């Protein structure tokens, strides 16, 4: 099977873009419970508020990333935190049973990704690039890439009906330059929901108030009070859009872009459907608003 | 063992370029039965017509890429189609017994590639880059890269005598830009054999007239008549050389390049022998003609 | 767990850079016995002479790269040669029991790398990039990348106490351009110790005077005499700094750079601690001298 | 953790034998869709008729065992047949997505078995012995053995709550003598439901009327008529109890055993809970009736 | 697919026992070059002398079992010795490229065994039991067992046409008692060809005159002279039939059994075709002569 | 390489039984920290008191077997408990970094076992049989079996010098009957050191006073007081020798056997050196005393 075939096929499929009654199905893959949240939480809230369907999938159960506890005890905490975060985001949240720190790009794991994408009948699939500082992040990127195209092949995972179209696969933002930098195709203004994103993220207590501060040597700076914690998290995770994100914001929001404080940006992966700008606008209806 | 060693070694080996009596041995790896054909079919015909030896190797048996049938039944169809295509191209065609959609970069598979290259006593090895839309294509690229250099190490696969020289490894053309674009070192004018290429490719009936049109939603446009099918395939797979290919054509064909309608282009992989332009001209004797 | 966390953490950790009494711990990973030597031998001698601690780790036992012998017999020769080279370099040298030519990026191998880095309490970790001509080199690069960050996670390899900080991970020089070229952040003038580097490297007799010349077809040019062999090796492995290395030399050595005949250059990997120039200067105290 | 611990633990757990309101949960593992049916179909009907809960799990999707079709096409037929058979048996039927003929005793597959047992809250687990003529059957036996005990360990598959007790694991009957013969602990008189078992089994058309007769060279003897097919199947799969089964029948049914025409027998596996006769009687309430 | 099916099928297939013109095809699997020879060498000569076809397959290349050399160098010696031994036995000899001491029961290796059996169109398959002192021997036994039945499934290894019947699988003799002793079904009087067996075996010089004596501490007792070496080997490997073998000899040879000095005995594996005594007599036409 | 070779070799090696100055080196493998202790603790104390050298190796780090904690946190507790137990037993104790509940019979793990045996220069190797209730126990048995013989092959793990002789491999006692029962060749009277064994075992607090009672539902019966805990453990783990053990005791202790309250028994594995009774007596000098 070969590639030129695909370029034609984008045209025909672009006419039947959405799965049901105008609802867009978005699925986001992260390596750990809290990764989807950070990368796409604001956008997810915007989708959810418009009635679209978002699912977060953590490929590992997070059973390693903590300074004091570990194993099943930690996994259960992480799963509960993810469930609570999902409620706050307004999305479905699934945590797969793979060891944290041991995610490998196996065929088994690829098939799990394929099944999740199919069951969600996804229009949009979001994942990290295969370039990131944590091996689990990189292999999440590889696994999701490796699911692209295969989601439409009926003989693969035949018990789960294939998608009728290859979704748009997108990378979430990262800061890595090698072997090539992240180049956002779109950027989403999340200012309106930034507080909700921070509140939802704060459900991952064992991550944002225990493990990550520990790795940074700031554990003693973490407030005890719930409200102060939100402020702490908000300050910590706040940053002005970088030049590339700003350019993407301008493309989609025009002059309003200059005022955007918080944005999430995404790059179209070359291995799924290649959308036109019009299609991107329809797939991300919050763009420009 | 280290790298500078190699730079010297290219000089000495370049004097003994061809394996026997001026015949050039070319081996092409694809993921599925029909991949080698699309990427290198015209060039293969040109080699074969000049009396050189070309072998196509499909690393999977194509037992998944179809909308209706699958498994061994499909594999047997694909193998028969490949045999027929091989006859039409004038090349040897081998289909390895790996599941379609499940090719992984294992040591076992690498050794199979090494043995094929050695047995063919290859001067030129062609494969896709590790960047392509289908995971099987990408891992074909990885596996062939991983065979480079190892083909000369006598202690690896010791039952198959090693090559005396590292062949030139080349990538076939693709349209992917990340992490870096395909950069052709040569482009081959295949206008003289384009019709034969289409005819040979058409032996893959279950691919070009069943599966691929199905994935594009054009199944109802596929003609029944054999002659119309050739025209259908010819139109579908025809495209003017893109700028990079055109530049490569100009380098090798001069002004004639402007008139070339169909070309196949190739990039030298950094992991095998690094040929000079003179060597490329001797390895691809159709260049410039 | 997520990335922005890291950017803050570099600041705090930079104040506690060195592990003990100002001694810097450097660990170098290569695929074969002789790889660390070629890539970092001069720098290693400079570190050692200043009282710092350097360890070379070969991830394979070198049991394949020879034209006449192989297996355990060859591995034992390679291990003995590495021990002798280590003595001459003034570094510790460990050879792991993996087959040469069969190194795969398994979790098992990653854990071995993690344990080595932790046990050495490394400030600096050096390895090849995942882009190189030999698959073992590439997977060495992958494995060391995959150890970055995990070295600080206490639940991974829990029997080996984690590092308190993520070390600086660096790539040693190579000549490959795809998917992106090697871009040196620092270059070390090794002229003062080049002869010692050659002498130390010459301990790998089965590599430099047997296997590598055989692959280059120059076996008959290898001298028998010990002194002539050093000259032979010195000529063979000598090369003026390329433009990128020269630029790096200039940055750190100023005008003196123009007179440097032999240099080793290194690129900071994006996946470990991201040092400032000041930190690089403290980590590589020979810079500028 | 050690074994004597277990001998005590059987006593305490025997007082809390059943999971809910006297309902017994039975889960049966087979390698292919139709294996559970043949081995335990009659017993399953008896359980179901008494209101207990039975689940059949096929560890492969049966995508290889056919003379004409294969792959996903075959898997989908097999899954549909299994669903229909489940309805006829009165049991739940699940078919896992593993290739037929390629089942391996991996940790991944073991975890799938563990999760199925836990989710079913099983009191009884039935599987083939690791001694049988088909490798998939043997590895099914290994995988289910390897799940015994682990089903109660909370840190294994932590997202699926562990069982509070180790179930009774039982082997279904086979005719193999090496390394030790099948020794039934109980035998179930299925005469009253034999016709229903045959009818339910006949849902596996592609197995009993296509593939298996083909392997036996009796394809031309398979009737077309539905009713005749039931008779064909009934004759084919009918056999008087062998001496070991007869002895087990006598133990549980007394003199009535002599009149039993159709029986299914089971051996208690040493690796799960070791039930007393009283417990067996409570777990298999049809015994003696 | 299920087992009772098989019992019927033996009847029908027994009428079409041999593949072509009364010639019997025998394939023998061993772990190392020399294993098939020792276990079945005499029987193989008898088959060959009667015009039947015998193939020896060593699943590893023997590249570890030597006190001085190893790797590819050793493998090449072992392959050459096997070729010479094959000539002396009158059988075909194939050595597969797996590392000695590292044979694992992978699906890849199973498929290699399946293909060998099919290509030889085997009536009889002989291998060690999964109980033996060397792990490679045990996993050879497992791999060949795992090929039984699968050799007739067309969807497995679909590029190699399946056998029309399941061959008889047999175990060669060993002395191990756990978990159950070797129980010979037949024993073959090899007195008439014992000298030829010893001569053929002596082709494995690096085994019988170097490695094995070294492991036994008798290296200094190995003669240099070729003729004395045959005597040495003959004495070393000579032994009177043990009681179980003697009983089997009596069954097939009657009173002549008492005079047999050298015999090779075989047990029918339960996982392939289960032959009657008549069939065994036809498959082993030397029995009773 | 083949088996008869071995039978001779036992004779010659029996003359050089012990590694140094009459000291016997014993290495015991268990799956979890506490397994070696239970199976061989008394015998180990007796060896240690006589000045011989005993090492316990746990193949997993015990990071799963607990009802409340898990992962690295649990592993670190288990390692500390093992160290303390080792001190109390007078043996060296090593805990390998494999996940509890996930031990697989990989080549990697086999090599770790081989290296441990070689480094300890073992005369005696003890492990569970491949028949036991916990999969980790069974695969410990498989791994140690698979190390037998390979410990003397120089080309395997060539960086660790091979043993000059195959040690005696022994199974520790279990109660499993299938596929064949444990048959003790020797039994050791441990009455004199039973209290010390209980005291040493009690160092595994998280096992004997937390996890195992929890699995048995007796957590509320565990005393708090240290002395009462010893009594609790002593009662729990006390049992009169079973008939097979008693028979073995009689063989070695004569009439004294009738008075033995606590014994540990061992079966000689068929895959290592096969000792005579005299050799067993020399290897287990406490026998008969």
């Amino acid at each position: 099977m070969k590639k030129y075939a695909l370029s034609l096929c984008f045209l025909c499929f672009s006419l039947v873009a959405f799965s049901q009654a105008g609802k867009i199905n978005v699925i986001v893959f992260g390596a750990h419970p809290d990764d989807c949240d950070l990368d796409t939480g604001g956008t997810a809230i915007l989708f959810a508020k418009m009635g679209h369907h978002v699912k977060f999938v953590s490929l590992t159960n997070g059973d390693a990333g903590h300074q004091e506890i570990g194993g099943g005890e930690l996994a259960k905490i992480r799963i509960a935190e993810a469930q609570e975060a999902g409620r706050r985001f307004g999305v479905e949240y699934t945590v797969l049973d793979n060891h944290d720190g041991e995610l490998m790009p196996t065929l088994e794991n690829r098939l799990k990704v394929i099944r999740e994408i199919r069951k969600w009948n996804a229009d949009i699939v979001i994942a990290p690039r295969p370039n990131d500082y944590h091996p689990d992040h990189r292999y999440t990127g590889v696994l999701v890439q490796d699911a692209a195209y295969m989601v439409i092949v009926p003989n693969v995972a035949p018990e789960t009906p294939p998608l009728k179209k290859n979704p748009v696969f997108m990378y979430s933002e990262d800061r890595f330059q090698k072997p090539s930098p992240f180049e956002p195709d779109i950027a989403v203004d999340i200012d309106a929901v930034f507080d909700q994103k921070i509140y939802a993220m704060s459900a991952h207590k064992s991550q944002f108030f225990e493990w990550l501060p520990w790795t940074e040597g700031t554990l003693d700076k973490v407030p005890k009070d719930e409200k102060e914690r939100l402020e702490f998290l908000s300050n910590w995770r706040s940053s002005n859009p970088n030049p590339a994100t700003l350019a993407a914001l301008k493309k989609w929001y025009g002059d309003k872009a200059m005022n955007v404080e918080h944005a999430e940006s995404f790059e179209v992966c070359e291995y799924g459907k290649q959308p036109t700008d019009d299609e991107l606008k329809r797939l991300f209806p919050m763009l420009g608003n």
Side-chain angles (χ1 to χ4, degrees), chain A residues 181-192:
Chain A
F182 175 80
E183 297 183 324
D185 290 292
I186 64 169
V188 177
D189 169 2
I190 64 163
D191 281 345

Side-chain angles (χ1 to χ4, degrees), chain A residues 271-282:
Chain A
Y271 298 157
K273 177 183 164 71
Q274 301 299 291
T276 62
D277 277 3
D278 276 357
E279 286 171 324
L280 280 175
K281 184 72 187 70
R282 274 191 293 144

Side-chain angles (χ1 to χ4, degrees), chain A residues 217-235:
Chain A
T218 59
L219 200 51
D220 56 343
K221 305 215 173 65
V222 176
K224 299 287 170 243
D225 176 74
E226 193 67 29
K227 207 177 139 196
E228 288 174 42
R229 282 188 162 197
L230 292 180
E231 204 176 314
F232 169 84
L233 188 56
S234 177
N235 292 333

Side-chain angles (χ1 to χ4, degrees), chain A residues 16-170:
Chain A
V16 289
F18 306 133
S19 15
Q20 55 164 126
K23 292 305 178 196
I24 301 163
N25 296 329
V26 183
I27 192 163
V28 186
F29 291 91
H32 309 105
D34 85 340
D35 283 345
C36 297
D37 316 51
L38 259 165
D39 290 336
T40 69
T43 306
I45 294 170
L46 292 171
F47 270 118
K49 281 183 183 296
M50 299 170 90
H52 303 295
H53 309 134
V54 182
K55 183 170 189 178
F56 286 0
V57 180
S58 173
L59 291 188
T60 79
N61 61 16
D63 65 355
H66 200 277
Q67 69 275 31
E68 284 181 355
I69 52 181
E73 181 192 8
L74 180 55
K76 278 178 280 192
I77 292 171
R78 293 273 153 88
I79 293 168
E81 291 174 349
Q83 294 311 316
E84 176 58 22
R87 274 187 291 274
R88 298 181 183 182
F89 279 114
V91 311
E92 192 165 315
Y93 213 127
T94 288
V95 176
L96 298 187
D97 179 33
N98 289 306
H99 284 309
D100 183 1
E102 302 188 4
L103 187 69
M104 298 299 279
T106 62
L107 193 57
E108 273 284 354
N109 284 335
R110 187 201 297 177
L111 287 166
K112 289 179 202 164
V113 170
I114 289 172
R115 289 187 200 107
E116 292 286 347
I117 295 173
R118 288 179 175 179
K119 285 180 185 162
W120 199 248
N121 195 11
D123 301 292
I124 301 169
V125 180
I126 302 178
R129 293 199 304 159
N131 317 109
D132 205 348
Y133 75 96
H134 192 302
D136 289 350
H137 296 187
R138 294 196 288 275
Y139 294 121
T140 297
V142 170
L143 285 164
V144 177
Q145 278 187 1
D146 287 356
Y149 191 79
M150 307 318 289
V151 291
I152 69 161
V153 181
N155 275 307
V156 169
E159 85 296 346
T160 309
L163 295 187
K164 296 223 174 62
K165 58 183 191 331
N166 209 2
V168 176
F169 285 73
M170 304 194 83

Side-chain angles (χ1 to χ4, degrees), chain A residues 208-256:
Chain A
F208 292 114
F209 307 124
E210 299 174 7
W211 167 240
L212 291 170
W214 182 84
T215 66
E216 302 190 18
T218 59
L219 200 51
D220 56 343
K221 305 215 173 65
V222 176
K224 299 287 170 243
D225 176 74
E226 193 67 29
K227 207 177 139 196
E228 288 174 42
R229 282 188 162 197
L230 292 180
E231 204 176 314
F232 169 84
L233 188 56
S234 177
N235 292 333
W236 181 17
R237 297 296 166 165
S238 184
S239 63
N240 286 329
N242 67 21
T245 295
L246 192 56
L249 282 169
K250 279 183 190 160
K251 170 172 180 179
W252 295 97
Y253 293 88
D255 290 345
K256 286 196 290 184

